Amino acid sequence: MRFLDAYPKEVKVFLIASLINATGSALMWPLVTMYVFDELGRSLQDAGLVILVQSLGGIFGQILGGSLYHKVGVNRLIVGALVMNALALFALPAASHSWMLFMVTMGLVGLFNSLSLPAIQAFIGFRFAKQRGELFNVIYVANNIGVALGTSLSGYLADLSYMLSFVLNGVTSAVFAVFFFLYLKKVGESPQDEAINYKKMPPRHASNWKLMGNTRIYLYMAIGSMFLLIGNSIWNTGVSPFVFSEGWGNKFYGFLWTLNGILIFVAQPLVSLIKRWFARTSTAQMTASAVFYLSGYAVILLLPSYPGLLFAMVLATLGEMLISPAIPSFISDHAERSAPFYLGLSGGIGAVGRLIGPFCIGSLYDSGGLLPTAWLACGMALLSIGFFGIHAYINRQGVLKKRSEALILVDGKVV
């Protein structure tokens, strides 16, 4: 991966945007849980309900953001989403006096915080077509830096002031909206040689409903991602209580995620070798990702000990590093002008797994401990392999069909 100095200015701006979005999202989850339980005096079940509402808002936000990309433009979409997110955060102190109003406001925070995600991915895919695969990976690394910052800051901010934390998050979002408005207006006037000018592409006459009918682009891939996210919930609602029940404590569980963050940086050369030797295409990278996840869950099943959990985290992290850039790369390569819509739609479908996974894994852990959750995670990974395989097969057949239709017979020769 190149140094950031090698990238255009626009990329650096979007890296900052991704990092801030990821920091805010990672910060809000534990902060809101602590606020509902500690400050409002409500149960953890109520805290989980708030997170559920926020997650639902995030799913709709991704889908809506992809649909609005060409209708309102990248500038208005990102700036508008940041402004609305800031207003929702500013409203939290007043909304906290009513439980129902607080839940609605948190749903709006999830909605507006996710609106810009498809726009960021689509902008990179359109404007820097030759570098898009590498840049999606850089954005993925930046997002993980944001997650690490958010989770580490949440406890300190909770001790300082919950409401001040929400307001400061809103101020940051508002200031960044002004920055985006000025900066994107400036860089939009300076074209890049390698950019794909979607305005010169054939106009998109198809409605969103008709685009959804083109399942080859998104459906099987999104369902595979959804199953992976269901299984990946084992780390929070299966491994976490197992670690505490064994008496290992917070440090041992926290080190698993520290290992995850370290690997995302130091294992980049290894992932590059895997891509070069075994998974050259984005579809192959998705399937390889699910295989790594399956291997990690199998280790948990066969070796339910702390060394086993460490090895499983290594395998799962490699799977995560393979799939995160692969999905936006595939859509950007194959969907052309409709890429933003499919980015939002696939992201929304995949996020359903993150929504229902904790309930499924948690219920199994309550009834049988770690092993049933590992079996479920293995089953989800197998289903992912199957759907990613279907996705690869269908798209390979589509490419072969297009090639055959493009052949022209001239003087008895195929050219």
Side-chain angles (χ1 to χ4, degrees), residues 24-291:
S25 298
L27 176 67
M28 289 297 290
W29 283 62
L31 203 58
V32 168
T33 301
M34 289 186 284
Y35 174 73
V36 171
F37 182 73
D38 183 35
E39 191 77 9
L40 298 184
R42 302 188 73 97
S43 66
L44 286 176
Q45 183 179 11
D46 287 338
L49 180 61
V50 172
I51 297 299
L52 173 66
V53 171
Q54 185 184 2
S55 300
L56 285 172
I59 292 173
F60 288 118
Q62 287 205 60
I63 296 173
L64 183 62
S67 302
L68 292 177
Y69 186 94
H70 289 302
K71 294 179 181 178
V72 301
V74 62
N75 296 36
R76 292 179 181 177
L77 182 56
I78 295 179
V79 173
L82 287 169
V83 169
M84 296 304 292
N85 187 53
L87 293 176
L89 288 165
F90 290 147
L92 278 177
S96 62
H97 298 294
S98 168
W99 177 243
M100 289 302 299
L101 184 59
F102 180 77
M103 286 200 298
V104 171
T105 307
M106 286 304 303
L108 293 176
V109 169
L111 173 70
F112 296 130
N113 193 48
S114 297
L115 267 177
S116 62
L117 297 181
I120 292 173
Q121 293 177 329
F123 182 87
I124 295 296
F126 282 139
R127 192 170 183 88
F128 306 103
K130 294 179 181 178
Q131 296 174 284
R132 62 166 61 124
E134 185 180 356
L135 292 178
F136 284 135
N137 191 55
V138 175
I139 291 173
Y140 160 71
V141 174
N143 282 340
N144 278 275
I145 296 174
V147 170
L149 289 173
T151 52
S152 63
L153 288 174
S154 58
Y156 297 103
L157 290 175
D159 290 337
L160 181 63
S161 170
Y162 289 109
M163 285 301 133
L164 179 61
S165 303
F166 295 148
V167 171
L168 287 177
N169 199 353
V171 169
T172 303
S173 184
V175 170
F176 212 65
V178 174
F179 175 76
F180 258 119
F181 177 77
L182 297 175
Y183 192 82
L184 289 179
K185 185 177 181 180
K186 178 181 178 181
V187 300
E189 298 170 357
S190 55
Q192 299 288 326
D193 292 337
E194 61 180 283
I196 295 177
N197 190 343
Y198 64 83
K199 293 181 180 180
K200 293 182 179 180
M201 294 180 183
R204 202 193 81 180
H205 297 298
S207 66
N208 289 342
W209 290 108
K210 189 170 183 180
L211 288 175
M212 289 177 65
N214 189 8
T215 56
R216 174 182 66 86
I217 295 291
Y218 74 96
L219 182 61
Y220 307 103
M221 172 183 66
I223 293 176
S225 175
M226 181 188 71
F227 283 129
L228 273 189
L229 288 173
I230 292 174
N232 204 42
S233 298
I234 190 175
W235 295 104
N236 292 324
T237 49
V239 170
S240 174
F242 174 75
V243 168
F244 296 132
S245 68
E246 294 293 312
W248 295 332
N250 292 324
K251 292 182 179 179
F252 285 85
Y253 180 67
F255 183 74
L256 290 173
W257 293 108
T258 302
L259 177 63
N260 173 266
I262 292 173
L263 285 171
I264 287 171
F265 289 99
V266 303
Q268 288 292 333
L270 175 59
V271 172
S272 297
L273 286 176
I274 293 172
K275 290 179 180 179
R276 189 178 306 124
W277 292 346
F278 307 108
R280 290 182 175 272
T281 65
S282 55
T283 52
Q285 289 160 23
M286 295 176 206
T287 306
S289 168
V291 171

Side-chain angles (χ1 to χ4, degrees), residues 319-398:
E320 177 189 344
M321 294 169 71
L322 282 168
I323 196 171
S324 293
I327 290 179
S329 293
F330 175 85
I331 292 176
S332 298
D333 288 339
H334 293 80
E336 296 181 342
R337 185 181 173 89
S338 299
F341 174 78
Y342 290 118
L343 285 166
L345 185 59
S346 62
I349 294 173
V352 173
R354 190 179 291 112
L355 186 68
I356 65 177
F359 175 79
C360 298
I361 299 289
S363 299
L364 280 176
Y365 186 87
D366 288 339
S367 62
L370 182 64
L371 291 184
T373 67
W375 277 112
L376 177 63
C378 287
M380 294 298 99
L382 282 172
L383 286 172
S384 296
I385 292 173
F387 276 97
F388 287 145
I390 293 172
H391 173 76
Y393 175 78
I394 290 176
N395 281 279
R396 185 166 58 248
Q397 294 300 112

